[in-house]
Amino acid sequence: MHTFCGTAVSRGFVSGPAYLLRNAASETVPELTVDDPEAEMARLKAATEVTRQQIASLSAELKKWSGNPDPDIFSGHLMMLEDPVIRAECATLIREQRRNAEYAVQQVAAKYMTVLSEMDDPYLKERSKDVADVSRRLIRNLLGNETAIPFAADKPCIVVTDELTPSEVLSFPKRMVLGFAADRGSATSHAILLARALGIPTVVGLRTLSTVTHTGDLILLDGSRGSVTVNPDAAARAAFAKLQERGRALETALEAGQDQPGMTADGHAVPLYANVDVNTAMSSLHQVHAEGIGLYRTEYLWIALNREPTEAEQTEAYTQAVRTLPPGTPVTIRVLDLGGDKLTRQDDRQEDNPFLGNRSIRFLLRHPETFRTQLRAILRASAHGTVQLMYPMIATLDELLAANRELERAKEELTQAGIPFDHAIKVGSMIEIPAAALIAEDLAEICDFFSIGTNDLIQYTLAVDRLNEAVSNLYQPTHPAVLRLIDRTVRAGHAKGIRVSVCGEAAADPAIAILLVGMGIDGLSMSSNLIPLVKYALRAVPLAEAQSLARQCLEARGATAKTIETMCREVLVRWVPAMR
Ligand code: PEP
Ligand code: MG
């Protein structure tokens, strides 16, 4: 028996036989000398065509279920398949060195994967995975595997692999996959977002799992805590069966209350909103009865297109989001938050500390044309529903005032052109930099709402890079300093009569959500698939209990993040025993 601890990225408990899709060692293809290079070139051409068709049909399937105009993860794959430099290098290996096509593809792909994975730019680093995905598919087609994914399991199984790719997630027959377990992967990679949207329990970051697992081994996968056990003994199987039973009961309970609004047990309303971007399947918002969009991350439009979208493209994307929701439902669109780890390929920013650099509103204020184009597009979408506009990364009052001046100009431009928009559009600020929380009284004077971005607020308060695993123990949502900044923000907002919500990941942890509500937070926004979990917890806890927890957490002297977290979990399990 081996137990591995990784990162839980898609909830659920599943057990079943392993299907070893691939591990690092299974990736080599034979190096052969060929007699007829032109026949080899013809084989490569035919396999490339098959690959192109497969990618096109995967892309069509993705569009069908995501409901987005162009959520195209696969356009990058097609570009790589067509890339003249890559093709020429393969041809050289085949024609001049008389190598077999599989080997040529693997060699050339390996070279570009190394180059890309060593880049500093996170966007380009991520593209090395696209090269891996498309070259694997091409090699499998060369080897004559018709489905391009060698999935030969005859009963439902847990797919174990080194790293998942989006095309694999979409290609597997859905009923045959109980779960995914991968050695590597991040919670925000496309493959994982797809697995989550499909509701398949998934754990990543299991390091060496694929090297010790064989097809047919019994696997227990806990997609809620992030553990995977291979060949469990009887005691582990019995303990897991209990967890599974509880998990099933919880899932049933969650489904039952899904169409209800977010509120505490005694009816204090806490609307639960969804965090979305251009890749989000909007249908998922209906499924979980999201009460609106609390955060539309617009930068993913730039990243998906790898260029600046036009005003028309933006207007179309924002309007589409507004139209998918019932009239009157709030849609909070945040202006561009490029920078930090979110960059496009064309981005030539070379910064030593990108998270402290020319990111987000700072970039927009230096590029007024880009800023006003986006503001006009958001305003135009506001003619079709209840749009709210939100500024990210505000650190100073000047930034907020300057952003509002650009907004006034954008309104003026539309008025001149006779284009309709909501003249009373609400404008708010994210509070995600400690400085903003500390001047929240002043910001509240000129904002219609606040939304606290805990992801960055934690990072900047504790000086801990939100992406750096080496310091992840210091990334503490319940650190007293973070809570005091949130408390201050809530008080400042409420003193001016404005609503204060949270749109960082902390909102999606049921125990922390109870604390936030007790602190006076008016709404919570999160990935749509987590809404049922948080809704279920909140609907079980009376407001007075949440408030008493908040008081204890804020007043406890000498408390640490850990002790506060324990206090929150105690309240959670007391009122929501199913979440023990
Ligand atoms: C946040 O910082 O909490 C937030 C919601 O913004 P992002 O994760 O996009 O930086
Ligand atoms: Mg942020």
Side-chain angles (χ1 to χ4, degrees):
M1 168 165 125
H2 292 281
T3 297
F4 293 82
C5 291
T7 310
V9 288
S10 182
R11 262 181 323 116
F13 299 92
V14 279
S15 63
Y19 180 81
L20 182 64
L21 172 66
R22 171 185 63 245
N23 63 23
S26 67
E27 284 292 276
T28 41
V29 295
E31 178 183 358
L32 305 172
T33 306
V34 294
D35 294 334
D36 185 355
E38 288 318 310
E40 209 57 16
M41 286 298 293
R43 231 163 54 75
L44 178 59
K45 190 166 170 224
T48 303
E49 187 46 39
V50 171
T51 306
R52 193 195 329 277
Q53 284 165 16
Q54 287 167 347
I55 294 174
S57 74
L58 284 172
S59 173
E61 183 178 344
L62 177 61
K63 269 181 206 165
K64 203 166 62 203
W65 69 254
S66 80
N68 281 330
D70 188 12
D72 221 344
I73 293 170
F74 296 108
S75 55
H77 290 202
L78 283 175
M79 263 161 57
M80 279 167 204
L81 201 62
E82 313 282 345
D83 190 289
V85 179
I86 295 182
R87 289 172 80 139
E89 288 186 27
C90 288
T92 306
L93 277 174
I94 295 171
R95 288 198 170 113
E96 291 175 18
Q97 296 187 27
R98 297 185 161 256
R99 291 294 176 262
N100 51 323
E102 297 84 341
Y103 179 79
V105 171
Q106 192 179 54
Q107 290 299 299
V108 175
K111 174 177 140 190
Y112 284 98
M113 276 154 60
T114 308
V115 172
L116 288 168
S117 62
E118 283 169 1
M119 299 257 178
D120 288 334
D121 178 335
Y123 177 84
L124 291 177
K125 233 187 218 329
E126 191 66 22
R127 298 287 69 76
S128 72
K129 299 193 184 123
D130 291 340
V131 177
D133 195 358
V134 78
S135 61
R136 256 182 219 137
R137 180 175 286 282
L138 184 53
I139 289 170
R140 285 180 189 138
N141 282 323
L142 278 162
L143 293 170
N145 185 314
E146 274 170 42
T147 63
I149 303 287
F151 189 80
D154 52 7
K155 55 182 165 208
C157 56
I158 295 172
V159 174
V160 175
T161 185
D162 54 356
E163 187 160 14
L164 273 172
T165 67
S167 65
E168 284 164 352
V169 174
L170 283 172
S171 302
F172 293 128
K174 308 287 171 292
R175 280 190 307 277
M176 297 297 271
V177 178
L178 299 168
F180 289 117
D183 297 347
R184 298 189 295 274
S186 75
T188 50
S189 74
H190 277 133
I192 301 313
L193 295 177
L194 290 173
R196 198 180 293 150
L198 290 167
I200 301 176
T202 303
V203 180
V204 298
L206 294 158
R207 294 163 204 274
T208 51
L209 174 76
S210 76
T211 59
V212 305
T213 307
H214 303 95
T215 293
D217 285 349
L218 177 62
I219 300 269
L220 308 177
L221 182 148
D222 176 349
S224 300
R225 291 188 182 77
S227 75
V228 168
T229 306
V230 187
N231 293 327
D233 59 21
R237 283 204 302 273
F240 190 80
K242 277 201 190 130
L243 278 179
Q244 225 174 351
E245 192 48 49
R246 260 217 321 259
R248 268 197 286 271
L250 179 60
E251 291 302 324
T252 316
L254 297 189
E255 261 169 42
Q258 259 192 45
D259 55 348
Q260 304 296 314
M263 58 166 70
T264 58
D266 46 345
H268 169 73
V270 186
L272 299 180
Y273 307 114
N275 289 352
V276 306
D277 62 61
V278 68
N279 303 301
T280 305
M282 291 294 171
S283 55
S284 66
L285 273 58
H286 299 293
Q287 278 160 24
V288 298
H289 299 269
E291 291 166 79
I293 292 176
L295 168 62
Y296 186 126
R297 289 183 167 101
T298 58
E299 51 279 7
Y300 285 99
L301 257 172
W302 270 247
I303 293 170
L305 292 169
N306 202 23
R307 62 170 167 79
E308 183 169 334
T310 62
E311 184 170 332
E313 285 168 333
Q314 292 186 58
T315 306
E316 164 69 22
Y318 309 149
T319 304
Q320 229 238 338
V322 173
R323 287 208 169 121
T324 49
L325 295 170
T329 312
V331 175
T332 308
I333 304 180
R334 179 176 77 180
V335 296
L336 188 63
D337 183 18
L338 271 186
D341 62 328
K342 292 180 282 195
L343 294 167
T344 65
R345 200 170 355 167
Q346 260 100 50
D347 229 303
D348 55 2
R349 274 175 263 182
Q350 295 292 334
E351 297 183 296
D352 287 341
N353 292 303
F355 274 115
L356 302 181
N358 185 16
R359 177 184 170 189
S360 195
I361 197 76
R362 304 169 182 184
F363 171 85
L364 285 175
L365 290 172
R366 287 173 197 186
H367 295 84
E369 277 310 318
T370 299
F371 194 10
R372 276 214 302 288
T373 302
Q374 181 171 39
L375 290 170
R376 283 194 303 270
I378 296 172
L379 287 168
R380 291 169 77 154
S382 76
H384 304 278
T386 310
V387 171
Q388 309 195 129
L389 178 85
M390 182 157 76
Y391 301 130
M393 291 287 291
I394 293 288
T396 71
L397 193 55
D398 294 337
E399 286 169 331
L400 187 57
L401 293 169
N404 274 343
R405 281 197 294 276
E406 291 300 340
L407 177 62
E408 286 313 310
R409 280 185 204 125
K411 285 183 175 175
E412 187 53 39
E413 285 160 6
L414 291 183
T415 306
Q416 297 280 324
I419 297 172
F421 64 91
D422 174 7
H423 288 257
I425 186 170
K426 288 201 168 128
V427 182
S429 171
M430 287 198 68
I431 304 291
E432 52 183 343
I433 297 180
L438 294 170
I439 58 163
E441 294 81 359
D442 300 328
L443 300 178
E445 294 278 354
I446 38 174
C447 283
D448 296 316
F449 64 91
F450 282 155
S451 185
I452 301 176
T454 49
N455 303 341
D456 278 313
L457 188 62
I458 298 165
Q459 148 163 284
Y460 294 125
T461 304
L462 300 174
V464 56
D465 179 346
R466 64 193 259 190
L467 303 175
N468 186 343
E469 269 183 48
V471 287
S472 60
N473 62 321
L474 287 169
Y475 190 86
Q476 301 172 338
T478 49
H479 190 293
V482 174
L483 297 185
R484 285 175 208 174
L485 290 170
I486 295 175
D487 180 51
R488 204 193 153 96
T489 306
V490 174
R491 286 171 192 275
H494 287 179
K496 286 280 169 274
I498 67 172
R499 291 175 69 78
V500 183
S501 53
V502 171
C503 63
E505 286 304 306
D509 179 328
I512 299 178
I514 295 170
L515 170 62
L516 293 171
V517 169
M519 290 170 74
I521 289 293
D522 301 298
L524 299 168
S525 193
M526 62 201 75
S527 303
S528 61
N529 62 319
L530 294 167
I531 288 179
L533 195 71
V534 175
K535 187 184 288 184
Y536 182 75
L538 288 184
R539 289 180 66 91
V541 185
L543 180 61
E545 275 298 319
Q547 287 170 334
S548 140
L549 169 68
R551 262 194 312 277
Q552 287 169 38
C553 292
L554 285 167
E555 286 165 12
R557 292 280 74 88
T560 63
K562 191 77 219 147
T563 52
I564 293 177
E565 194 191 332
T566 306
M567 286 156 77
C568 296
R569 302 247 168 260
E570 276 168 11
V571 171
L572 177 71
V573 301
R574 187 167 346 122
W575 291 92
V576 199
M579 290 191 184
R580 202 175 309 127

